[in-house]
Amino acid sequence: MVQPYHHEPFTDFSVEKNQLAYQEGLRTVEGYLGRDYDLLIDGEQVTTDEKIVSYNPANKSEIIGRVSKANKELAEKAMQAALEAFKTWRKTKPELRADVLFKAAAILRRRKHEFSALLTKEAGKPWREADADTAEAIDFLEYYARQMLELKNGVPIQSRPNEFNRFEYIPLGVGVIIPPWNFPLAIMAGTTVAAIVAGNTALLKPASNTVIVAAKFVEVLQEAGLPKGVLNYIPGSGSEIGDYLVDHKDTRFISFTGSREVGVRINERAARVNEGQIWLKRVIAEMGGKDTIVVDDEADLELAAQSIVASAFGFSGQKCSACSRAIVVESVYDQVLARVVELTKALQVGDPTNRETFMGPVIDQSAFSKILDYIEIGKSEGRLVAGGTGDQSKGYFIQPTVFADVDPEARIMQEEIFGPVVGFSKAKNYDEALQFANRTEYGLTGAVITRNRDKIQQAREDFHVGNLYFNRGCTGAIVGYQPFGGFNMSGTDSKAGGPDYLLLHLQAKTTSESY
Ligand code: NAP
Ligand code: MG
């Protein structure tokens, strides 16, 4: 009997006991800052001379840790280990594979605030955002373990008196897992454990900005009893070992979450059949977003403004689901814009280790420059009404920025900025607002603020995004409640945290026995 699934609750940080628990976590993390971490290949720790150094984006001089760096030779060694481990792991009972995830979830829950504090330090996540990231990681473990238990006997099919037929799911083989830095625990853990609980073995190439939290999570899986070779941890350069592993003849599938540019590249390279390769690779690719909140004139305008601000500036806008476009119907445009500007100017930006901070830094130097470049572009495409400046003297801080009166076709309304920038466009009416909303090459999330049932139905049919929300913001999907993934250039619509997700890591086998 599989226990029912409930998502991990968010921590209420207004409670003093919880504040102390987070601060205790922060002290634990501060106790191990600057340490060295190894690769993990076939259960062995491997140290290299070359390192990836992880810095605190809120305080550039603070080193979070240094991780050994895999090259092609070590990536090949990891591939061989994963191929070998697949021979036994694919036959390990699904219940035992699920148990590793359940135990890892228990360990994470026990060390919840330590992991959240590490996310604050390594990725610049304020308390609430870090807490949600850790909770989501726990949810993925709990959810995919249950999903495996539900799928383990396959699906009943018809048999006849003289034959017995079965339809079962078997794993694929070795998967290459390539997550982004923006949910350095949740997405990294979710994509990794989905692959392995399904009976595959995996090579995890974490995002280079957030290698330490990935190293710590791999330790958790080891502690939870994952056998050697099932998961190999091989941080390294995306272009060097990323391409090598994507091209590898023995790679059976690739699970990627990240930018459109890299996702398209992986998809193209994976399509090529290389020498010795005897299958077509499967690609799961979740990519960028350019997500819109539509505000109707029959709407709670305060809710609209609050939703836009929270969705645009939570984690400095560095979410694939972040609201970067607000499309507002003409008659209420000025009012919503004015309230958004007011709320934005009141946001507290600064050190994410302070509980009061709403918004911390952006992830690194190149993100900082790219976002400021877009802000310059925005100044010629719209009217700057809040923010617009950055300061990188200590960390990579950018003020939450609002542009008004932008053409929905303008660059800042079309290209993913991945920073705290939102543009406003005016629509003549609701129909036009939905048209504007759909006019991007992406299709990840969107939200509609309206009190009108017919308009909700209209958006349900015509607003083409993988995750559509009504009368709330467009971020914050919860595992098992809002399965997540996008249309068009946002990806393959894999719906992480949803009932179909594990099937992407499995293949169906029919057996028919004649009596
Ligand atoms: P990214 O630059 O595309 O990197 C993602 C991962 O790909 C990293 O691990 C990166 O390694 C690796 N990589 C880079 N080049 C590669 C190559 N040639 N072959 C194989 N792997 C390669 O994205 P990011 O900056 O980390 O993350 C932000 C992006 O992710 C945004 O576009 C955001 O919208 C998207 N995202 C989408 C979702 C979703 O569910 N749709 C969720 C979260 C984020 P290095 O770090 O070593 O470069
Ligand atoms: Mg990157």
Side-chain angles (χ1 to χ4, degrees):
M1 175 56 189
V2 185
Q3 296 297 311
Y5 163 81
H6 299 290
H7 80 88
E8 178 74 11
F10 299 128
T11 308
D12 178 357
F13 286 120
S14 68
V15 176
E16 197 191 351
K17 176 172 77 76
N18 294 336
Q19 296 172 17
L20 295 174
Y22 177 91
Q23 277 151 356
E24 176 66 33
L26 202 52
R27 276 192 295 278
T28 303
V29 171
E30 275 160 355
Y32 56 64
L33 286 182
R35 237 190 68 185
D36 281 359
Y37 297 82
D38 294 324
L39 311 174
L40 184 72
I41 299 176
D42 204 16
E44 303 284 330
Q45 315 223 140
V46 178
T47 311
T48 62
D49 293 337
E50 216 188 326
K51 307 282 183 199
I52 296 174
V53 183
S54 176
Y55 298 92
N56 178 351
N59 178 6
K60 298 185 275 186
S61 60
E62 185 170 77
I63 291 178
I64 307 304
R66 299 163 7 118
V67 174
S68 282
K69 188 174 178 188
N71 52 24
K72 287 181 193 164
E73 210 169 77
L74 288 166
E76 181 57 36
K77 228 179 128 184
M79 172 59 84
Q80 294 310 320
L83 285 166
E84 188 58 31
F86 183 62
K87 293 176 186 163
T88 46
W89 185 243
R90 74 183 182 88
K91 292 185 182 172
T92 301
K93 282 174 79 173
E95 290 84 349
L96 295 182
R97 301 197 306 245
D99 279 349
V100 174
L101 273 61
F102 287 130
K103 181 163 182 193
I107 297 168
L108 270 194
R109 213 174 262 120
R110 204 177 309 135
R111 293 170 59 188
K112 190 171 178 178
H113 297 295
E114 176 202 334
F115 269 94
S116 298
L118 179 56
L119 291 166
T120 301
K121 284 282 187 182
E122 190 172 34
K125 290 208 171 192
W127 291 28
R128 266 181 28 166
E129 303 282 344
D131 184 63
D133 194 331
T134 308
E136 190 177 358
I138 295 168
D139 289 346
F140 278 131
L141 290 159
E142 295 280 351
Y143 186 83
Y144 293 144
R146 282 170 175 74
Q147 205 169 67
M148 190 62 234
L149 297 179
E150 279 165 17
L151 290 173
K152 71 184 166 60
N153 297 322
V155 177
I157 50 170
Q158 304 305 315
S159 288
R160 293 179 288 192
N162 61 341
E163 72 181 7
F164 177 59
N165 300 324
R166 282 164 71 162
F167 180 84
E168 291 162 301
Y169 296 110
I170 65 166
L172 293 166
V174 177
V176 176
I177 315 297
I178 308 178
W181 51 263
N182 72 326
F183 282 85
L185 183 54
I187 295 181
M188 180 273 306
T191 52
T192 299
V193 302
I196 63 185
V197 78
N200 305 290
T201 55
L203 309 177
L204 168 61
K205 195 220 87 62
S208 295
N209 278 317
T210 51
V211 280
I212 305 302
V213 65
K216 291 276 174 198
F217 179 70
V218 172
E219 287 174 9
V220 168
L221 286 178
Q222 282 184 285
E223 187 186 337
L226 195 68
K228 74 185 177 79
V230 173
L231 176 61
N232 300 277
Y233 172 68
I234 46 167
S237 140
S239 50
E240 190 192 347
I241 68 160
D243 282 350
Y244 181 76
L245 292 171
V246 167
D247 295 346
H248 203 289
K249 72 175 175 59
D250 293 321
T251 294
R252 183 64 184 81
F253 69 100
I254 298 137
S255 175
F256 168 81
T257 308
S259 62
R260 174 195 195 287
E261 185 195 357
V262 175
V264 168
R265 177 191 180 92
I266 287 175
N267 195 50
E268 284 174 4
R269 296 185 79 107
R272 196 179 315 128
V273 176
N274 289 313
E275 204 185 322
Q277 185 182 324
I278 56 168
W279 47 61
L280 299 176
K281 289 170 190 167
R282 240 189 235 183
V283 177
I284 303 166
E286 287 306 317
M287 312 189 289
K290 194 68 193 169
D291 310 299
T292 307
I293 295 184
V294 167
V295 184
D296 177 37
D297 53 5
E298 301 176 78
D300 177 340
L301 301 184
E302 178 62 20
L303 172 69
Q306 298 276 358
S307 301
I308 291 167
V309 170
S311 304
F313 303 128
F315 189 38
S316 311
Q318 301 171 113
K319 299 182 190 177
C320 48
S321 56
C323 169
S324 54
R325 311 168 88 223
I327 312 271
V328 186
V329 170
E330 207 166 51
S331 56
V332 295
Y333 179 90
D334 290 338
Q335 199 182 334
V336 174
L337 176 65
R339 183 62 180 143
V340 164
V341 169
E342 189 177 23
L343 290 169
T344 301
K345 288 182 172 163
L347 293 177
Q348 199 158 323
V349 180
D351 182 352
T353 59
N354 292 336
R355 182 169 67 90
E356 292 78 19
T357 295
F358 174 81
M359 212 179 90
V362 298
I363 192 71
D364 60 13
Q365 169 71 61
S366 89
F368 182 84
S369 311
K370 178 181 159 194
I371 297 162
L372 285 183
D373 287 348
Y374 270 112
I375 288 175
E376 282 314 304
I377 294 168
K379 286 177 185 168
S380 65
E381 292 183 329
R383 183 161 58 89
L384 178 68
V385 287
T389 57
D391 175 2
Q392 56 169 329
S393 50
K394 184 153 189 255
Y396 304 106
F397 293 95
I398 294 181
Q399 289 300 315
T401 297
V402 183
F403 285 103
D405 312 340
V406 193
D407 185 308
E409 305 294 332
R411 284 187 66 189
I412 63 159
M413 298 298 266
Q414 291 294 326
E415 297 171 19
E416 188 181 47
I417 300 171
F418 223 58
V421 181
V422 62
F424 271 68
S425 296
K426 198 181 285 184
K428 284 200 297 286
N429 51 40
Y430 184 70
D431 287 351
E432 186 177 73
L434 285 187
Q435 283 165 26
F436 287 169
N438 277 332
R439 243 185 263 153
T440 79
E441 63 179 16
Y442 294 105
L444 191 48
T445 77
V448 173
I449 315 292
T450 182
R451 289 199 176 97
N452 183 319
R453 274 259 129 235
D454 294 335
K455 288 175 177 169
I456 287 181
Q457 185 54 27
Q458 187 184 347
R460 212 187 275 284
E461 289 168 15
D462 293 337
F463 192 165
H464 194 59
V465 291
N467 284 62
L468 179 58
Y469 301 104
F470 298 113
N471 294 316
R472 49 161 287 182
C474 60
T475 59
I478 291 178
V479 172
Y481 294 68
Q482 290 98 20
F484 189 80
F487 302 153
N488 296 348
M489 277 302 170
S490 291
T492 55
D493 191 40
S494 61
K495 288 294 187 278
D500 309 328
Y501 190 72
L502 273 202
L503 291 177
L504 302 170
H505 306 73
L506 292 160
Q507 55 196 341
K509 182 168 184 172
T510 302
T511 54
S512 181
E513 183 181 353
S514 190
Y515 295 149

